[in-house]
Amino acid sequence: MKKRYYIVMLRILAPVLAIVLSALISSAVILAIGKSPLQVFYTIFKFSLSRLDSIAIILYNATPLIFSGLAVSIGFRMGLFNIGVEGQYLIGAFFAALAGFAIKGLPVFVHLPLVILCGALGGMLWSFIPIYLKVKRGVHEVISTIMLNYISYSLIHYLIADVFLDRSQKLVEGLGGILTRTPKLPPSALMPKLHVFLGLFGIQLPRHVYLNWFFPLGLLMAYLIYYLLMHTPFGFEIRSVGQNPEAARTAGIKPERVYMAGFLLSGAVAGLVGLSDLLSYFGYMDLDFPRNYGFDGIAVALIGQNNPLGIVLSAILFGFLKRGAEGIQTQLNVPMDTIVILQAVMIMSIVVITKVMNDYIKRLERKESVICSSQNSSLPA
Amino acid sequence: MKARKILAASLVLLLIMAMLAGCSNQSNQPQEQQNQGAQESQSGEKLKIGLVFDVGGRGDLSFNDSAYAGLERAAKDFADKIEVDYKEPSEGGQDREQLLRLLAENGFDLIFGVGFLFTEHIQKVAQEFPDVKFALIDGAIDGLDENSNIACLLFKEHEGSFLVGAAAAMKSKTGKIGFVGGMKTPIIERFEVGYMAGAKYIDPKITVYSDYIGTTGDAFKDPVTGKELALKQFKAGADVVYHASGASGVGVIEAATLEKKFAIGVDSDQSLTVDPSQRPYILTSMVKAVDVAVYETIKSLVEGNFKGGYRIFGLAENGVGYAVNDYNKDMISDIQPKLEELKQKIINGEIKVPMDKKEYEEFEKSLNK
């Protein structure tokens, strides 16, 4: 029994240790640029946690990463590596934008769900290509999804810059540059912010915060995926195929069918990644549309250990780091490049420490189960 | 058991390091706090000027550095009246708006957004902070007037590009010249058509190769591709290549040095900032006086006559032009009279430099008549 407590304690200790380790390595970096680490950390925490707008912005930053981490994790659970979330969310966002600006005159309760559906559809479509190639022709999904990411970048550029460029933007005497963007989406396609809802509880968010209903939707999505994986036959199939496709086949599960359905689901979730930004902040899609959410999602899924709750928490951690970076840049003049290094160091320490600790815990558990079974001469559950 | 020992040992090590780090901080801290205190006590009287960079950031030896030069010059000239600060947005530039807002919150009086990508962000933030002035370089916001708290600083890049295009055509021996653009946007296309028009004006039969580095903001900081494209154009026979690609142009200049042909710089006078060994290969630079625009805007604020709306910098205002310096004056002395003549014609309106592909086609037709 004593060992049990020890293991539980270790599990709690792992993230704490990770943060301590990353703080130490970052301190070296901060000292190297001649700033005080204590002051930098103090500013990160104070700026991120003592202001209401910062907390809301952290959750806003986390929103796309929740979807992205979930999309990646569905792949991981099946033993597939969906690097293509990047391309899937850009295509999804474009589909959503298209449904947004091309259709006019619908009431919001029809238009908005339609736009969101189109986003999921776009992501699904872009994930269909690699999984079809994999199931039918055995093309490795890592290669095809990476290539499709590149294709999506250029395709989106072509669509925005040439086909759907908003030419009604005005120049002053033909001078200056217009934004390379689609027409703006009508209000009926935009996602309401959380301001009114939170106002009911006496929380008054400042106007410049774009926290919107996609955040609660992300939480709901995390729960749904948890339920799907753990409490439905399909979830069981996904997990079995992920652990051993051949064993699953022997048990009567068709891995190809599971791959196809699971990957399309992953793509559909990926299609929602960009919508929080598109439908609350931008209101149009331009060449400056946020990139890399797909890749960040891989880190989010890994840190969250493919567990929906873990993914939500690690997405919030990423959001926190991003907001903290803005704080130390404006208040302490820490250069942007240093901040990028700090973020990478933190993420890496977390990955390393959780991996080391988990292996250690697993070994302890195994030892314990051996002891138990020898004592009780029965198999542990 | 062994694993536990390692864990224990590493924990002890961590603690020791933490203490060390803690100690070394304590010695630093009071000093920094003093510095901060000093800054705060002064800021009561001084005007605070902030600047947020475009893609590429400081050190692009081009657009951003030119803006920074203007800021620095103002900081020196009005040292007792202003204090300045600058910020770089993160990769992909998503936090542009947050940085603008945080500067405004921290009591800055005038904030520059360097580049048209700030167009929407400045509009949003300027509405929230009506007492803070904003200046947008290269971006056009509709419906401003003198009382707006936004000033748009705009340049006639096509006029300056026309002159360097003419210079390239006059200097070319092969009858082939090149253009390397950064990100394909209307603003960079204006450089391109101005350049082509200038070249065709001198020699209607000239061949102009034209390539763009990429489709995203990263195209302005990709010297490797810049070099490849320029090398390709040199190999195809071009002997002068003009770039409008920010920090990627470093690669174009490298290519020209390698091939012992000419490059034409952009935005700032690049002969002055490159490695001395590269100077003989920079024919001239199309100077876009972002520094002048930044400086003049700060000056107007200091003197209390800041005006919102639009300020346009063309050849007539010395806002654009070609660079003459100690290193290239011998190279271009023979063509300078012609360039000056063209400049006058543009200012007089005798030559109307095309601004986009459509106007360029008409311009080309008028030449062939």
Side-chain angles (χ1 to χ4, degrees):
Chain A
M1 271 324 267
K2 212 176 152 201
K3 271 238 152 92
R4 266 276 142 75
Y5 283 119
Y6 187 58
I7 289 172
V8 170
M9 205 189 73
L10 277 182
R11 275 194 196 284
I12 298 168
L13 205 63
V16 179
L17 257 181
I19 291 168
V20 172
L21 177 70
S22 65
L24 284 174
I25 303 175
S26 332
S27 297
V29 179
I30 298 167
L31 282 175
I33 59 159
K35 305 259 175 198
S36 143
L38 277 186
Q39 209 185 0
V40 168
F41 293 131
Y42 175 71
T43 310
I44 290 182
F45 280 95
K46 186 167 169 252
F47 180 77
S48 302
L49 302 178
S50 74
R51 295 167 47 139
L52 183 62
D53 66 338
S54 286
I55 293 173
I57 287 172
I58 288 170
L59 299 183
Y60 171 77
N61 290 344
T63 305
L65 297 178
I66 294 176
F67 287 101
S68 171
L70 288 173
V72 175
S73 77
I74 298 171
F76 276 141
R77 289 282 184 143
M78 298 185 291
L80 296 184
F81 193 178
N82 185 4
I83 306 184
V85 171
E86 181 78 8
Q88 288 148 20
Y89 93 76
L90 286 172
I91 298 287
F94 180 77
F95 267 58
L98 188 63
F101 65 75
I103 305 170
K104 285 191 182 73
L106 288 180
V108 65
F109 56 86
V110 180
H111 201 182
L112 182 60
L114 182 74
V115 166
I116 296 174
L117 199 68
C118 282
L121 215 69
M124 208 190 252
L125 183 81
W126 211 241
S127 68
F128 174 74
I129 307 169
I131 200 59
Y132 179 82
L133 290 174
K134 167 146 186 113
V135 171
K136 297 287 175 193
R137 290 282 171 266
V139 177
H140 201 292
E141 78 279 2
V142 166
I143 297 176
S144 53
T145 50
I146 290 180
M147 293 306 136
L148 280 165
N149 285 345
Y150 289 123
I151 296 175
S152 72
Y153 286 156
S154 301
L155 185 65
I156 293 288
H157 184 268
Y158 167 67
L159 291 171
I160 295 176
D162 285 331
V163 185
F164 294 104
L165 178 66
D166 181 2
R167 290 172 213 278
S168 68
Q169 295 180 83
K170 281 189 187 136
L171 288 176
V172 177
E173 297 178 33
L175 297 175
I178 59 165
L179 290 177
T180 314
R181 64 163 171 83
T182 65
K184 291 196 174 175
L185 274 61
S188 62
L190 300 181
M191 186 55 122
K193 299 207 258 181
L194 280 178
H195 291 55
V196 177
F197 177 71
L198 290 176
L200 296 178
F201 302 94
I203 303 171
Q204 301 294 341
L205 290 181
R207 217 164 54 112
H208 66 260
V209 173
Y210 295 91
L211 185 64
N212 58 71
W213 282 95
F214 274 107
F215 180 70
L217 265 180
L219 298 183
L220 180 69
M221 183 63 88
Y223 176 74
L224 288 178
I225 285 173
Y226 164 79
Y227 186 84
L228 175 92
L229 284 173
M230 294 304 170
H231 297 286
T232 65
F234 179 55
F236 175 74
E237 287 180 358
I238 285 186
R239 284 182 292 138
S240 326
V241 170
Q243 271 159 12
N244 188 336
E246 289 317 308
R249 196 189 298 278
T250 328
I253 298 169
K254 288 199 182 91
E256 289 77 15
R257 206 184 54 83
V258 176
Y259 282 152
M260 179 61 90
F263 210 80
L264 289 181
L265 175 68
S266 169
V269 176
L272 305 177
V273 170
L275 298 193
S276 165
D277 289 72
L278 177 74
L279 302 181
S280 79
Y281 178 73
F282 286 95
Y284 55 81
M285 192 167 179
D286 72 346
L287 287 188
D288 200 33
F289 195 74
R291 292 275 171 93
N292 291 333
Y293 283 157
F295 300 125
D296 290 346
I298 298 171
V300 168
L302 285 176
I303 293 177
Q305 304 187 0
N306 295 322
N307 172 329
L309 177 65
I311 287 170
V312 170
L313 292 178
S314 70
I316 291 175
L317 174 76
F318 272 64
F320 165 78
L321 289 178
K322 194 174 162 201
R323 183 60 180 170
E326 285 164 359
I328 52 177
Q329 201 191 171
T330 39
Q331 304 198 343
L332 296 180
N333 271 328
V334 175
M336 195 58 219
D337 295 317
T338 315
I339 293 166
V340 174
I341 294 176
L342 293 186
Q343 287 175 327
V345 163
M346 288 194 192
I347 292 162
M348 243 158 56
S349 330
I350 292 167
V351 171
V352 170
I353 292 270
T354 39
K355 173 80 183 141
V356 169
M357 289 296 253
N358 274 349
D359 288 356
Y360 182 63
I361 289 168
K362 251 183 215 155
R363 222 175 310 145
L364 280 182
E365 277 174 341
R366 208 170 298 147
K367 229 183 261 169
E368 192 187 27
S369 68
V370 170
I371 295 165
C372 284
S373 58
S374 65
Q375 280 173 348
N376 308 342
S377 70
S378 64
L379 287 169
Chain B
M1 258 4 224
K2 202 177 156 199
R4 194 189 278 183
K5 266 185 198 159
I6 294 174
L7 193 76
S10 54
L11 270 174
V12 171
L13 203 72
L14 284 180
L15 277 175
I16 294 171
M17 277 167 69
M19 275 156 69
L20 281 177
C23 292
S24 59
N25 299 335
Q26 275 167 355
S27 54
N28 280 350
Q29 225 180 9
Q31 205 189 340
E32 294 221 1
Q33 274 173 350
Q34 267 175 2
N35 284 348
Q36 249 193 357
Q39 268 174 15
E40 272 164 23
S41 67
Q42 283 174 350
S43 64
E45 307 144 21
K46 287 187 172 182
L47 288 168
K48 288 169 89 175
I49 317 277
L51 185 145
V52 186
F53 284 114
D54 196 1
V55 186
R58 254 190 81 194
D60 65 350
L61 302 180
S62 184
F63 186 59
N64 286 303
D65 278 356
S66 182
Y68 181 69
L71 185 72
E72 220 182 10
R73 195 148 57 88
K76 220 185 329 170
D77 288 3
F78 311 115
D80 50 336
K81 296 201 187 83
I82 64 170
E83 65 181 78
V84 303
D85 196 3
Y86 58 84
K87 303 289 167 215
E88 291 175 76
S90 67
E91 199 81 356
Q94 296 145 36
D95 59 354
R96 285 190 192 96
E97 183 178 327
Q98 290 302 341
L99 290 179
L100 290 174
R101 176 173 294 111
L102 289 170
L103 286 174
E105 254 177 36
N106 286 347
F108 277 72
D109 301 285
L110 169 64
I111 301 167
F112 287 88
V114 183
F116 68 88
L117 287 174
F118 283 91
T119 308
E120 294 277 333
H121 309 305
I122 280 200
Q123 248 172 311
K124 279 185 188 164
V125 181
Q127 264 175 14
E128 289 166 36
F129 296 91
D131 300 330
V132 180
K133 312 281 186 224
F134 293 87
L136 171 63
I137 298 173
D138 268 358
I141 293 171
D142 199 28
L144 297 183
D145 58 39
E146 281 194 1
N147 302 319
S148 312
N149 62 337
I150 308 174
C152 293
L153 314 176
L154 300 162
F155 296 85
K156 294 182 170 171
E157 298 90 357
H158 49 297
E159 293 186 350
S161 299
F162 185 93
L163 291 186
V164 297
M170 285 187 272
K171 278 289 171 183
S172 171
K173 295 187 183 88
T174 56
K176 291 170 185 160
I177 59 173
F179 171 82
V180 174
M183 175 179 169
K184 201 166 167 62
T185 63
I187 204 164
I188 299 299
E189 277 176 5
R190 202 153 59 232
F191 285 84
E192 185 192 355
V193 295
Y195 177 72
M196 296 198 312
K200 296 266 172 171
Y201 186 85
I202 296 295
D203 175 7
K205 286 196 204 92
I206 199 161
T207 308
V208 186
Y209 300 117
S210 188
D211 285 294
Y212 280 85
I213 289 170
T215 54
T216 64
D218 288 346
F220 290 115
K221 48 178 182 184
D222 183 359
V224 177
T225 313
K227 187 173 173 177
E228 272 171 30
L229 292 176
L231 280 175
K232 188 191 88 184
Q233 295 182 346
F234 285 129
K235 293 260 151 67
D239 52 1
V240 187
V241 171
Y242 172 42
H243 86 88
S245 61
S248 308
V250 175
V252 175
I253 294 168
E254 268 175 32
T257 312
L258 205 68
E259 293 285 311
K260 309 221 177 303
K261 304 263 171 65
F262 281 128
I264 296 178
V266 82
D267 294 341
S268 46
D269 185 351
Q270 295 200 285
S271 302
L272 308 180
T273 49
V274 296
D275 191 76
S277 66
Q278 296 178 325
R279 279 178 184 146
Y281 306 104
I282 299 183
L283 181 62
T284 178
S285 298
M286 200 295 274
V287 180
K288 176 169 164 180
V290 176
D291 54 339
V292 175
V294 169
Y295 182 87
E296 291 294 325
T297 310
I298 296 175
K299 194 175 153 200
S300 71
L301 183 79
V302 171
E303 290 171 354
N305 50 15
F306 176 92
K307 277 188 192 133
Y310 312 99
R311 291 197 62 178
I312 292 166
F313 298 85
L315 274 181
E317 295 84 9
N318 279 325
V320 292
Y322 64 98
V324 186
N325 52 52
D326 289 346
Y327 311 104
N328 77 347
K329 64 181 178 208
D330 295 334
M331 290 187 248
I332 59 168
S333 57
D334 54 329
I335 57 172
Q336 243 181 309
K338 181 75 182 166
L339 291 178
E340 286 302 317
E341 180 197 325
L342 291 175
K343 183 176 166 180
Q344 273 314 313
K345 279 188 179 166
I346 295 171
I347 294 174
N348 298 341
E350 269 177 70
I351 300 175
K352 196 180 169 300
V353 182
M355 300 176 72
D356 55 36
K357 289 262 148 92
K358 220 172 106 195
E359 285 182 25
Y360 172 75
E361 276 162 26
E362 284 163 24
F363 179 85
E364 210 182 1
K365 265 182 219 155
S366 71
L367 284 180
N368 291 335
K369 267 175 199 166

